[in-house]
Amino acid sequence: MDAVKSPTWDANLYLKFADHRLRPALDLMGRLDPANGARAGHAIYDLGCGAGNITRILAERFAQSPIVGIDSSEEMLAKARSQTVDKRVTFARGDLARFTPEVPPAILYSNAAYHWLEGHIDLFPGLLSLLPSGGQLAIQMPRNHEAPSHALMRKAADAGPWKAKLDRVRGIAPVAEPGRYYDVLKPLCSALEIWESVYQQPLTGKDPVAQYTAGTGLRPFLEALDEAERKGFYDTYTGMVAEAYPTRPDGITLFPFRRLFIVARRA
Ligand SMILES: C[S@@+](CC[C@H](N)C(=O)[O-])C[C@H]1O[C@@H](n2cnc3c(N)ncnc32)[C@H](O)[C@@H]1O
């Protein structure tokens, strides 16, 4: 299975909204079983660890385990390594589509990464099979692809001379209905929790929604264009999202964001 062609990442732009992105990561982490952190000879993996800010929190929560962050982006990994002093935490380059752990995992944790892989659902049974009985697979993915912020990427892509170039851009792979993940995972689990939350993110500043998506879902579109086209496309997109997400009288732009959570315990 091929991963969606990974965009290059701007760690600083991504981290601009770190507070809003942190909350779901912690909500997912809250369902992890501390007993899995005490399994000798096992590690906790942060799959698609990005700049490592969540990886470091995992290390604080699980003080006895080796913690390994895996990511395909050298830029994200460089940022992660430069900000991590705890020798128990290591980072390695790897493709989530072909993940093979060097140390057996007790927990496979992944925040906001697997939606970048087309057909990610087919990978989940294999991930579960890497765990010991009672080990946990914990995954959070945005399920916001039908929201205006994402639907307008395609609309703006079709609305200018950049259309031909952007027709080829696939963007983020849609995340399926929760029930599909349930059907695939339940036969392999002793316990399975799946839930969704819609976070009403209060953003500030100029073009806040476009700035937010420019750090993630909009990147493949921006990267397909030259500088002049990029500006035209970005301005078109920004105008569209500003209408869809008006700034309130107090200066706040509410950006509702739906996320899907899966916590599967291997039978
Ligand atoms: C939105 S960021 C999330 C980073 C981190 N988990 C967090 O919550 O802050 C998505 C990360 O997934 C990584 N990623 C995307 N596709 C990947 C793949 N096929 N293999 C490994 N990492 C991938 C990207 O490089 C990026 O760092």
Side-chain angles (χ1 to χ4, degrees), residues 14-254:
Y14 181 75
L15 291 173
K16 191 171 166 194
F17 296 97
D19 283 355
H20 298 298
R21 302 192 201 274
L22 178 62
R23 166 104 189 261
L26 295 181
D27 290 348
L28 181 67
M29 213 181 283
R31 301 305 299 160
L32 297 179
D33 181 352
N36 274 323
R39 284 182 194 259
H42 288 72
I44 293 176
Y45 285 83
D46 183 5
L47 301 176
C49 62
N53 39 331
I54 313 292
T55 324
R56 289 188 293 278
I57 301 174
L58 276 171
E60 284 168 22
R61 292 272 170 100
F62 293 94
Q64 291 165 273
S65 300
I67 312 286
V68 187
I70 304 285
D71 205 282
S72 55
S73 159
E74 279 299 355
E75 172 164 20
M76 286 296 208
L77 290 170
K79 184 93 182 170
R81 289 189 181 109
S82 74
Q83 300 204 325
T84 306
V85 288
D86 188 342
K87 294 276 178 283
R88 203 163 36 91
V89 183
T90 54
F91 295 97
R93 188 161 192 204
D95 182 353
L96 299 187
R98 296 170 187 81
F99 171 66
T100 3
E102 281 189 8
V103 177
I107 291 175
L108 295 171
Y109 172 97
S110 179
N111 187 60
Y114 270 97
H115 57 297
W116 285 102
L117 282 80
E118 206 165 307
H120 55 255
I121 192 166
D122 299 328
L123 297 171
F124 292 173
L127 289 176
L128 207 55
S129 74
L130 297 170
L131 293 163
S133 176
Q136 289 173 297
L137 172 67
I139 290 176
Q140 185 276 116
M141 295 177 288
R143 211 166 81 81
N144 218 38
H145 53 276
E146 285 169 8
S149 55
H150 288 64
L152 291 173
M153 290 176 194
R154 186 50 66 194
K155 194 166 175 203
D158 290 343
W162 43 79
K163 181 178 181 332
K165 278 189 188 174
L166 296 185
D167 273 349
R168 295 191 295 267
V169 172
R170 279 191 288 167
I172 290 175
V175 171
E177 290 289 320
R180 282 208 50 217
Y181 297 95
Y182 181 93
D183 290 343
V184 166
L185 290 170
K186 188 64 183 26
L188 309 168
C189 294
S190 59
L192 176 60
E193 285 183 274
I194 299 181
W195 74 98
E196 285 190 307
S197 297
V198 180
Y199 295 84
Q200 300 291 331
Q201 304 180 120
L203 306 187
T204 53
K206 188 173 177 307
D207 309 328
V209 175
Q211 286 276 303
Y212 188 106
T213 58
T216 55
L218 199 63
R219 295 194 70 74
F221 293 89
L222 296 172
E223 288 184 355
L225 300 173
D226 64 36
E227 207 173 323
E229 292 166 330
R230 192 176 304 139
K231 184 175 177 342
F233 166 73
Y234 183 77
D235 289 348
T236 303
Y237 173 72
T238 300
M240 289 176 176
V241 287
E243 258 181 58
Y245 301 93
T247 302
R248 311 185 100 74
D250 64 355
I252 294 291
T253 303
L254 278 184

